[in-house]
Amino acid sequence: MKSISSRKAFLCRRFTSAVEEELGKRFALQTNRDDSILSASEIAEKAKGSEVLFVTATEVINADVLRSLQPALTTIATLSVGYDHIDMAAARSCGIKVLHTPDVLSDACAEIAMLLVLNACRRGYEADRMVRSGAWQGWAPTQLLGRGLVGRRLCIFGMGRIGRAIATRARGFGLEIHYHNRTRLSPDLEQGAIYHESLDDLLAASDIFLIAAPGRPELKGMLDGERIARMPAGGVVVNISRGDLIDDNALIEALQSGQLFAAGLDVFASEPNIDPRYRTLDNVFLTPHIGSATDDTRDAMGWLLIRGIEAIDDGRVPTNLLS
Ligand code: DGY
């Protein structure tokens, strides 16, 4: 039997030091030291002969990469809950197992969702800029008037683990929770949230429309001009899922015209090359895809992958196995 440390693994991005240290003990680990985002063909070349490939949402793992890493590659471990960057059908057909990191990041992502809701509704970007720039002339009765949260409807598209963690926090702010999912939740998970059978119904109730559904090809461009028009005038859009769920042209137009009050965005199409018009809008609060970015969470995500590989080695089925 192969000794554990002779198993080759390739780490596409830098993980936390505790996780990297552990991986170094368990594998003959090669690391993309400069933490650059590798293209599919670079991964195919650099990870040749690896049994395990550690990736994140920045790496595109398509059928060509998977085929080129055959027959050595048995497992892909992605430091993300989302797996839209991996061709799952190709992984299945190559017999490659895919592990991801659900649950451990739900609280951190819910915190960022609330940060976006608060900053979009209460004009966080403009407020910060006013103070930093020296433009602030002192308190004024009509200065930076925003939207209070109490009694408003927070409409969550995608009431999975992250959506429910957001709802828990949002209730504390006095928001009324509405949601749409492919299937309705049981009452104990709903916790009084109001279910809408269709996305269009949910949009019509959306004082704040918050996207927490996992990225999937069929959802691409889901929030387009027609759907934005279904929202009440002066609504707010928040996205912590994947940027390509939003039609940027439609959102930017609605923000420019005042049809929407504001948006809070943590994710963007074609990251990090976001639509430059977002940078010019005062009524958008922007964060650079930091939903799960806390040290504890990133450690926990790494450990979940390590435990998943351990389970596979022991012949058990890991809870975080996708295929
Ligand atoms: C996730 O876990 O999917 C986050 O978006 C980071 O990639």
Side-chain angles (χ1 to χ4, degrees):
M1 198 176 118
K2 262 198 230 173
S3 85
I4 289 186
S5 60
S6 71
R7 292 170 71 187
K8 279 181 79 175
F10 188 77
L11 183 58
C12 287
R13 301 297 304 272
R14 302 307 304 265
F15 288 7
T16 59
S17 49
V19 172
E20 282 197 0
E21 196 182 315
E22 189 61 28
L23 292 177
K25 289 183 198 156
R26 291 172 185 242
F27 296 98
L29 187 70
Q30 278 191 298
T31 303
N32 174 28
R33 295 230 149 261
D34 68 7
D35 202 29
S36 55
I37 298 177
L38 299 173
S39 66
S41 56
E42 285 171 325
I43 294 169
E45 188 200 312
K46 289 179 189 289
K48 203 121 218 99
S50 297
E51 194 177 317
V52 182
L53 181 65
F54 291 94
V55 303
T56 74
T58 56
E59 285 70 56
V60 176
I61 306 300
N62 57 27
D64 287 345
V65 179
L66 293 170
R67 272 194 292 272
S68 70
L69 295 177
Q70 289 284 286
L73 189 69
T74 64
T75 309
I76 295 171
T78 183
L79 195 86
S80 62
V81 64
Y83 49 91
D84 49 311
H85 52 295
I86 300 172
D87 184 334
M88 292 298 296
R92 254 176 242 119
S93 79
C94 295
I96 293 168
K97 295 189 167 60
V98 180
L99 298 168
H100 72 147
T101 62
D103 294 319
V104 293
L105 44 56
S106 301
D107 288 335
C109 291
E111 286 167 4
I112 288 297
M114 289 313 298
L115 177 127
L116 295 173
V117 167
L118 285 163
N119 278 288
C121 290
R122 297 299 304 275
R123 305 177 61 175
Y125 166 67
E126 291 168 277
D128 181 276
R129 185 184 56 188
M130 184 180 277
V131 178
R132 276 179 209 275
S133 67
W136 188 35
Q137 300 290 309
W139 189 90
T142 57
Q143 189 170 74
L144 289 179
L145 301 184
R147 295 283 151 91
L149 301 189
V150 176
R152 289 198 198 273
R153 295 164 296 181
L154 174 68
C155 291
I156 302 176
F157 174 51
M159 193 71 148
R161 293 166 279 224
I162 296 174
R164 297 198 298 276
I166 296 166
T168 301
R169 286 153 181 82
R171 286 186 190 97
F173 282 94
L175 285 156
E176 185 179 283
I177 311 300
H178 295 238
Y179 76 100
H180 170 69
N181 252 4
R182 281 177 293 191
T183 46
R184 185 170 180 169
L185 299 175
S186 59
D188 59 317
L189 294 179
E190 251 179 10
Q191 300 272 311
I194 298 160
Y195 179 62
H196 293 255
E197 273 187 14
S198 76
L199 175 57
D200 286 349
D201 277 357
L202 184 75
L203 285 158
S206 292
D207 296 322
I208 303 166
F209 179 66
L210 192 153
I211 305 173
R216 291 197 298 273
E218 64 274 23
L219 291 180
K220 220 170 166 166
M222 167 279 294
L223 190 67
D224 57 13
E226 234 174 79
R227 290 218 164 97
I228 291 173
R230 291 181 192 280
M231 291 176 62
V236 170
V237 168
V238 170
N239 189 9
I240 59 154
S241 164
R242 288 291 181 261
D244 63 7
L245 269 67
I246 289 181
D247 172 345
D248 285 332
N249 282 326
L251 180 61
I252 288 166
E253 255 171 49
L255 289 164
Q256 283 169 336
S257 69
Q259 181 186 352
L260 289 176
F261 179 72
L265 306 174
D266 184 50
V267 287
F268 305 86
S270 310
E271 291 174 12
N273 303 312
I274 72 168
D275 188 314
R277 291 172 295 172
Y278 282 125
R279 297 194 188 102
T280 69
L281 293 172
D282 284 351
N283 54 348
V284 190
F285 188 79
L286 306 169
T287 51
H289 203 147
I290 55 168
S292 62
T294 72
D295 42 13
D296 290 349
T297 304
R298 290 282 159 80
D299 273 347
M301 291 164 76
W303 281 104
L304 187 57
L305 297 178
I306 291 169
R307 298 285 170 243
I309 293 165
E310 235 170 48
I312 293 172
D313 291 343
D314 294 350
R316 290 178 282 120
V317 179
T319 53
N320 57 330
L321 180 71
L322 285 164
S323 71

